Amino acid sequence: MKELVCITCPRGCRLKVDEKMNVTGNFCPRGKIYAVNELTHPVRVVTSTVKLTGSIYPRVSVKTKDPIPKDKIFNVMDEINKVTLKCPVHIGDIAIKNVLGLGVDIVVTKNINK
């Protein structure tokens, strides 16, 4: 039996999942979906920063547009650390398209004009 805390909402239900993927302890249906996904195919949104030139700010914040497989986080971070963007940058600008062929872009999360 696996035990998890659901992070889908602030309630933080304590979930128990047996070997047949029966979930208990969830207040809503999202808890069951979260538990099954977490045990069969865990994914995460990665947030970080990339270097920025032409600005008073040395870096700008970025994130994966969609969740990526948890086991690819360090590989994605290696790619993010190679990037340097040039000012100006805007929310939603693509810093890396289709990172590692995962079908997920790395996007800028802050507007910086100078």
Side-chain angles (χ1 to χ4, degrees):
M1 173 121 6
K2 297 279 187 180
E3 294 185 14
L4 303 166
V5 175
C6 183
I7 60 171
T8 307
C9 75
R11 186 177 206 106
C13 295
R14 296 193 176 277
L15 309 174
K16 292 184 180 183
V17 187
D18 67 17
E19 59 279 344
K20 293 183 179 181
M21 291 295 170
N22 295 314
V23 179
T24 58
N26 54 308
F27 183 76
C28 70
R30 294 182 298 169
K32 180 177 182 177
I33 294 166
Y34 168 77
V36 170
N37 287 340
E38 185 64 15
L39 294 176
T40 59
H41 182 67
V43 294
R44 298 288 185 274
V45 170
V46 173
T47 61
S48 187
T49 61
V50 297
K51 294 175 196 164
L52 185 64
T53 62
S55 171
I56 60 172
Y57 303 104
R59 302 188 74 82
V60 63
S61 58
V62 295
K63 72 173 194 119
T64 54
K65 190 170 182 179
D66 296 303
I68 61 163
K70 190 175 174 182
D71 64 348
K72 300 292 184 194
I73 290 174
F74 289 107
N75 303 95
V76 168
M77 283 303 304
D78 288 341
E79 295 302 308
I80 288 172
N81 290 332
K82 295 176 186 176
V83 173
T84 300
L85 297 178
K86 185 174 180 184
C87 199
V89 293
H90 300 92
I91 294 171
D93 286 355
I94 297 175
I96 304 173
K97 182 137 183 85
N98 190 20
V99 67
L100 297 176
L102 296 171
V104 176
D105 298 335
I106 306 296
V107 295
V108 174
T109 61
K110 184 173 182 173
N111 292 322
I112 299 181
N113 294 312
K114 55 181 171 177

